[in-house]
Amino acid sequence: MAAGEKKTVLVVEDNELNMRLFCDLLDAFGFQTLQCRDGAKAVELARQHKPDLIIMDIQLPEVSGLDITRWIKDDESIRAIPVLAVTAFAMRADEQRVREAGCEGYLSKPIQMKSFLSTVQELVDDRKAA
C-alpha cells in the first residue's frame, strides 16, 4: 500500500478489549482507525470522515447496531460505505437480520484473526471497485 493510500475504518464498539483488539489488528495491517464507543455518534462520524469501512458491534448500550446501520443506509451521503457486523449472536436467523439491516458482512465473536482481516480487506476492495 503506497503512502497516503491508508484506508480508514470506523470501529463502533463499546467493549474496550474488543475495541483495542480490532484497532490493533487494523493498525498492524496498514489501516487507519477511528473509534466510536457511542452508537448515536457513529452516523455523525461516518458523515464527517467518510471511512472506507464501518465495523459495527450489534449489541450497543443506547441503540442497536442494526438501527445505526439502517440510519447509515438511509443516508444518501454515506450509504455506499460497507458495514461489517461483528456480534456475539451467531445463529443463522441473526445473520439474516444483520443482512436485512444492510450490513455487507457478518462475523461472530470471538473473531478469528485471519477471517476478520480477509473480510475487512474484501469489503474495502469491493468498495474501491464499485
Side-chain angles (χ1 to χ4, degrees):
M1 212 179 282
E5 261 194 66
K6 256 189 173 190
K7 298 296 178 191
T8 303
V9 178
L10 170 59
V11 180
V12 184
E13 171 64 70
D14 64 315
N15 178 291
E16 199 55 50
L17 282 172
N18 287 334
M19 177 66 85
R20 192 166 332 132
L21 171 66
F22 297 161
C23 291
D24 286 352
L25 271 173
L26 292 164
D27 289 340
F29 283 84
F31 292 92
Q32 183 176 334
T33 56
L34 296 167
Q35 300 182 12
C36 181
R37 286 163 183 77
D38 174 356
K41 289 191 180 127
V43 177
E44 189 182 310
L45 278 171
R47 281 190 196 118
Q48 190 179 348
H49 296 279
K50 304 275 193 296
D52 298 286
L53 175 68
I54 299 169
I55 293 176
M56 182 72 66
D57 181 19
I58 298 305
Q59 284 185 287
L60 294 165
E62 309 84 29
V63 60
S64 158
L66 295 178
D67 287 335
I68 298 164
T69 299
R70 286 185 194 100
W71 299 339
I72 289 167
K73 297 304 176 179
D74 285 344
D75 185 319
E76 190 78 29
S77 68
I78 55 176
R79 79 162 41 124
I81 301 168
V83 178
L84 171 59
V86 181
T87 179
F89 296 128
M91 304 300 283
R92 196 163 195 75
D94 296 318
E95 181 173 1
Q96 189 176 344
R97 281 198 352 260
V98 162
R99 298 218 180 256
E100 284 169 359
C103 296
E104 285 81 0
Y106 168 89
L107 291 173
S108 58
K109 292 176 185 171
I111 63 157
Q112 303 298 315
M113 187 174 91
K114 197 172 178 180
S115 62
F116 174 77
L117 290 167
S118 66
T119 303
V120 165
Q121 193 63 59
E122 195 176 290
L123 289 168
V124 168
D125 289 347
D126 284 353
R127 176 151 193 237
K128 216 172 23 189

